[in-house]
Every structure is written in C-alpha cells, then in structure tokens.
Amino acid sequence: MTGEDFDDPSVDARRPLYDDIFKILELAGVNTDGMQLAWDFTTASRESNTGWMVHMRDEALAATAGAGYTITKVDTDWNPEDIAFRIDGTMTVPLYLDQPGAGGHLLFGEDGMPESKETYEVEWELIIPQSALTEPAKLLQYGHGLLGSRTQIESEHFRTFMNQYNYAMFAVNLVGMAEDDETWIGQKVGLGEVDELSAMFDRMHQGFVNYLVAMRVMSQGMTADATYGQYLDGDQKFYYGISQGGISGGVYMALTTEIERGMLEVMGQPYTVLLDRSVDFDPFFAFLRFALPDARDQLLFLGATQMLWDRAEPGGYSRYITKDMLPGTPEHQVFMRAAVGDHQVSTYGAHIMARSIGAVHLDTGLPGIYGLTKATSPVTGQGAAYAEYDFGLPPVPICNLPLNLCEDPHGKLRKLDEAREQLNHFFTTGEFVSVCTGGADGKTCAFPEMSGCVGGEDPLKTCE
C-alpha cells in the first residue's frame, strides 16, 4: 500500500522504485487499487549482448586482411583411402585477453570496448580429401563438442563424409570451452566462485574471434596457397557444429560475414536449461553440490552465470541469425537437427533455439512441436528449419533432469547415411529436405533398432 509507514527500513528504500512501477502501470491502464503483486526487471539490450563481439569481429578481420598463416606439418600418408593431406598450421590473431591461457580476462579500451594490445599464434587443422585431387573441395568449418578440440575432425565418419561429398574440413579450438579449459572450469565450479567464471566467458569471446579469422585464413589465404590452394574452392564455404559446436554455432552464424549456410546439430539454448538436463555436467554438479549444498543456491549460481553467458551463447544471438541481422552480415540459412531423447543436450533446449531463430519444423514423420509450423519436404525460401530424428528412446523426463535410459543418441545422428545426404543437399542447394525411409509411410526419420533399450525403462523413475 502506498503512503503507509513500516518499521522495516528496506521498504522506505524501495518506495521510489515502486512509485515508478505504479506510474508505469497506470499509464498502461492497469487499475492498481486491487493489485496483489507488481515488480520490474531489467533486460539486456541487443547492444549489451552483442556489442563486444561485433566490435572484436570487425577489428580483428580488418587486422587480418592479409589472411596470413604458417604451415607447420603436412601428412600425406594418413588414412590415404579417404584423405590426401592432413595439414597443421598456425595463424596470427589479435589477442583481446590479458594472457592467452585459461583464466585470461578481456582487456578494454577507453571507449569501453574490448581492446587488443598484441597478437598470438592460434593452431588450426585442415584435412583435404582424395576427391579434391579431381575437383577442388568445398570448405567446411567444424565446431567441436563439449570441452573438445579441433582434432575431432579426424573421426572416421568425418573422413568418409569428406571424401564422399568432397569437403575439406578445418577447425580451431573454441578457447574458453575447449580441452585446455576443463580443469580450470572444474576448479572454479567446485569452489563456487561464480565471479571467477567470468574469465571463461571472456575467453569464449576470443574463441569466436579465432573462429572468424580461421574462415578468413582458409577462404582467402589457403585457397591461394601455391601448393594446396588448387585443391580448395573458396567460393563454397559452410559451417557444421555438433553439440557444443551446434550451440556455439548460434553465436557464430549470427556473427559471420562470410558463411551463408550452417548446420547446427544436437544443439540448444540457453545453458541454464541445458546444464542440469545433461549427463555431461554430472561431474561439475558434483563439485557444485559440494560447494553449494542447498539446491536453491545452486539455481542462483546458474542464474548468475547465465547473465554472463548471454554475451557468448545463442541466447544473446540466435534471434539475429535470419532476421534483424547484425551489421555487416549476409543473409544466413541455418539447418538444426536434434536426436529426440538426447542425453547430453536436451531436446527441450533444441525447441527453444528453433523457436528463437524462427525456424519451420521440417516434417520427418514425428509429432509436432509447440510454436513451430510444420513444413513438408522439400522446403525452399526459408532462412531456418528444424528437424528431429527418433532413436526409439522413452519420453524425455518432464522434471529438470536428463534422460539417461537406453543408449545416448547424441552421436548417432551424424553417422546416418540419411543425415549425411541431407547435410550435403542443404549445403549445396539451400533446400531443407527429409530423405528418411523409415516407418509405415516409408518417410519417417525413426531408427528404433538403435535405441539400446532392453525393455521396461521408465523415465518417470528418473524424476522420483
């Protein structure tokens, strides 16, 4: 009630705030006489979430206009049935951190924007398939999985995909959430030092700069290389992110000035939805429960980190991929694919990301999704589409816990022949198509034989 006296001094301290709230409500035509509860909250602006990264992108790309690089190793006898060259190298990138290792913090100039005072060398890996010896290969930048590394492109299923469809894959580490950061992150979570975790998000800014420069180096530098440039087609360039790479791809595809089509696979947002619904984070939550045994404190911890994460995760960027785009970017197309019941990245998070981007739901014979319009294959003229694959798992738990029954489908989708064909079709044509042949209709993306279930699994028990 307004105008009444209270013994608690904190009430008087908040009177100006609520006077402002009541005025705003009255201007909106809300009758406050019988109102029970009113509050306000602060939202982040587009500039607040994206301004640092856009500034760093533009400055770093201008500084690396020459697309310089150094080749440090070439292997011509590595899986030669599919691969012609495995190449390691380095590139010089503006460093926006006070030191390049784990725990580094962003430096800022007088204008309040991140500032680079020196450069550092960033390692990259490029794999050129045998098929490129006949026709220059398309460039495919890879975004690695959780706390992973660029060497994931060496996997067998990627090697055969490259050679079958003629892609040269390359990758750099997403510093901040790469293998070199895992121990440092675990220590900070274990100690409950949420303020110290700001360094992880700062380093992720540097990681995205490295991603952007890597595409510039490959598309403008390596394609002109006297020895290997003849095997690369710099006019065809795409992004393929899986798991963490699919999540962070929501940032990268909003920022990139060179890539027009990207595949974001087994992805989702925001991290506060994904974390405690992922089996990957069980070890980190064990540390967190030791430091903060009260579940309410754990939620406050996650909420506090999300405010930092918004500048370096798709929650702050995905809505700008296909509409209201960030300055200097071309029109983008993104294809999102999820495995229903994913143990590591919640299908619920995938739905949130698809709605945020404004995707249509590509009909793969599976049930509809709230907030997404179903579209029949082939889908053309759309900026974004979302598709699901079913591996026969039980329903996803309705509680805030991960599904951990049967076999995790997280890594199975990318290995399917249907998914590989679909990926290549999207990159080369811009069409979103479903090529599955399962189910009674012969068109459903269902693979129940891959579930790993033995019978009797009850997801409700997960929530007890």
Side-chain angles (χ1 to χ4, degrees):
M1 297 180 182
T2 59
E4 293 194 11
D5 294 329
F6 291 90
D7 293 334
D8 189 341
S10 69
V11 173
D12 284 332
R14 293 196 298 272
R15 284 189 189 280
L17 169 64
Y18 279 92
D19 285 343
D20 183 58
I21 292 175
F22 293 143
K23 288 177 183 177
I24 293 172
L25 290 170
E26 290 171 1
L27 289 173
V30 177
N31 186 349
T32 60
D33 291 341
M35 188 169 55
Q36 296 293 315
L37 183 66
W39 70 95
D40 74 341
F41 55 91
T42 301
T43 60
S45 67
R46 165 174 156 139
E47 175 62 25
S48 176
N49 281 340
T50 67
W52 293 359
M53 265 313 328
V54 170
H55 169 81
M56 294 167 70
R57 176 199 71 184
D58 293 345
E59 191 174 81
L61 290 180
T64 55
Y69 62 92
T70 299
I71 293 175
T72 58
K73 180 181 178 181
V74 178
D75 193 339
T76 59
D77 192 29
W78 179 78
N79 293 279
E81 63 278 12
D82 290 305
I83 304 304
F85 309 101
R86 182 180 63 171
I87 305 172
D88 293 322
T90 63
M91 59 186 184
T92 303
V93 181
L95 178 64
Y96 288 86
L97 304 169
D98 55 9
Q99 56 97 0
H105 284 280
L106 284 171
L107 297 171
F108 291 89
E110 293 182 0
D111 60 357
M113 287 294 176
E115 180 179 59
S116 170
K117 294 186 176 181
E118 58 182 311
T119 61
Y120 81 128
E121 294 302 304
V122 175
E123 296 178 320
W124 50 261
E125 180 172 344
L126 167 66
I127 299 178
I128 301 176
Q130 290 286 350
S131 56
L133 302 182
T134 303
E135 179 182 358
K138 303 175 285 291
L139 286 174
L140 181 55
Q141 183 169 11
Y142 176 71
H144 63 72
L146 178 66
L147 299 170
S149 78
R150 62 189 180 279
T151 60
Q152 288 179 4
I153 62 174
E154 298 174 5
S155 300
E156 186 273 340
H157 60 89
F158 286 145
R159 298 196 304 267
T160 57
F161 173 78
M162 286 183 240
N163 197 33
Q164 180 179 0
Y165 292 105
N166 199 28
Y167 289 90
M169 291 185 73
F170 68 93
V172 297
N173 290 356
L174 181 66
V175 298
M177 288 195 75
E179 59 183 4
D180 293 341
D181 299 282
E182 184 171 7
T183 299
W184 185 90
I185 294 171
Q187 290 173 345
K188 297 306 174 184
V189 172
L191 295 172
E193 296 177 345
V194 63
D195 56 327
E196 293 294 325
L197 277 178
S198 62
M200 180 183 81
F201 308 110
D202 283 3
R203 272 175 58 77
M204 289 183 71
H205 281 71
Q206 182 68 52
F208 286 118
V209 168
N210 298 350
Y211 267 38
L212 292 160
V213 173
M215 175 50 79
R216 175 66 58 85
V217 166
M218 292 297 152
S219 63
Q220 296 186 16
M222 280 299 293
T223 55
D225 185 86
T227 303
Y228 305 103
Q230 61 185 312
Y231 307 119
L232 304 172
D233 183 352
D235 293 327
Q236 297 191 72
K237 43 197 174 183
F238 312 99
Y239 176 81
Y240 185 20
I242 292 173
S243 190
Q244 179 184 287
I247 297 168
S248 60
V251 179
Y252 185 63
M253 286 304 299
L255 287 167
T256 177
T257 60
E258 299 190 47
I259 300 176
E260 296 181 3
R261 293 176 191 153
M263 171 65 79
L264 313 182
E265 189 164 292
V266 288
M267 75 308 152
Q269 71 177 71
Y271 269 102
T272 45
V273 168
L274 302 179
L275 290 179
D276 47 12
R277 288 183 175 274
S278 172
V279 296
D280 287 339
F281 285 88
D282 284 346
F284 293 97
F285 278 117
F287 290 132
L288 184 59
R289 293 185 189 102
F290 178 79
L292 302 171
D294 191 318
R296 293 168 295 184
D297 291 335
Q298 295 166 21
L299 290 175
L300 288 172
F301 176 91
L302 294 178
T305 60
Q306 185 62 54
M307 289 189 290
L308 298 171
W309 225 319
D310 285 342
R311 285 192 173 106
E313 74 119 82
Y317 291 82
S318 58
R319 63 177 297 177
Y320 308 125
I321 294 176
T322 61
K323 55 183 183 290
D324 194 20
M325 293 179 293
L326 296 176
T329 61
E331 290 189 2
H332 297 137
Q333 279 187 296
V334 291
F335 199 170
M336 292 164 280
R337 301 193 298 203
V340 178
D342 193 317
H343 292 188
Q344 299 178 54
V345 181
S346 170
T347 312
Y348 293 143
H351 294 173
I352 294 172
M353 191 170 185
R355 286 192 290 267
S356 179
I357 294 177
V360 296
H361 178 194
L362 179 66
D363 189 356
T364 58
L366 305 183
I369 299 167
Y370 173 76
L372 298 182
T373 302
K374 239 180 189 182
T376 302
S377 175
V379 176
T380 60
Q382 291 289 332
Y386 171 78
E388 291 191 334
Y389 285 66
D390 184 4
F391 290 88
L393 274 67
V396 178
I398 59 173
C399 57
N400 205 27
L401 291 170
L403 181 66
N404 56 8
L405 304 175
C406 308
E407 292 182 5
D408 185 4
H410 184 75
K412 295 181 178 181
L413 197 162
R414 72 197 73 161
K415 300 175 184 177
L416 295 172
D417 289 339
E418 293 87 344
R420 290 154 62 107
E421 180 183 348
Q422 182 184 56
L423 177 65
N424 178 63
H425 186 91
F426 167 62
F427 282 154
T428 55
T429 69
E431 289 185 337
F432 304 101
V433 298
S434 179
V435 295
C436 296
T437 57
D441 61 355
K443 299 179 180 179
T444 300
C445 290
F447 305 86
E449 69 281 2
M450 299 175 67
S451 71
C453 297
V454 297
E457 289 89 354
D458 183 1
L460 293 177
K461 291 183 179 180
T462 303
C463 298
E464 292 178 355

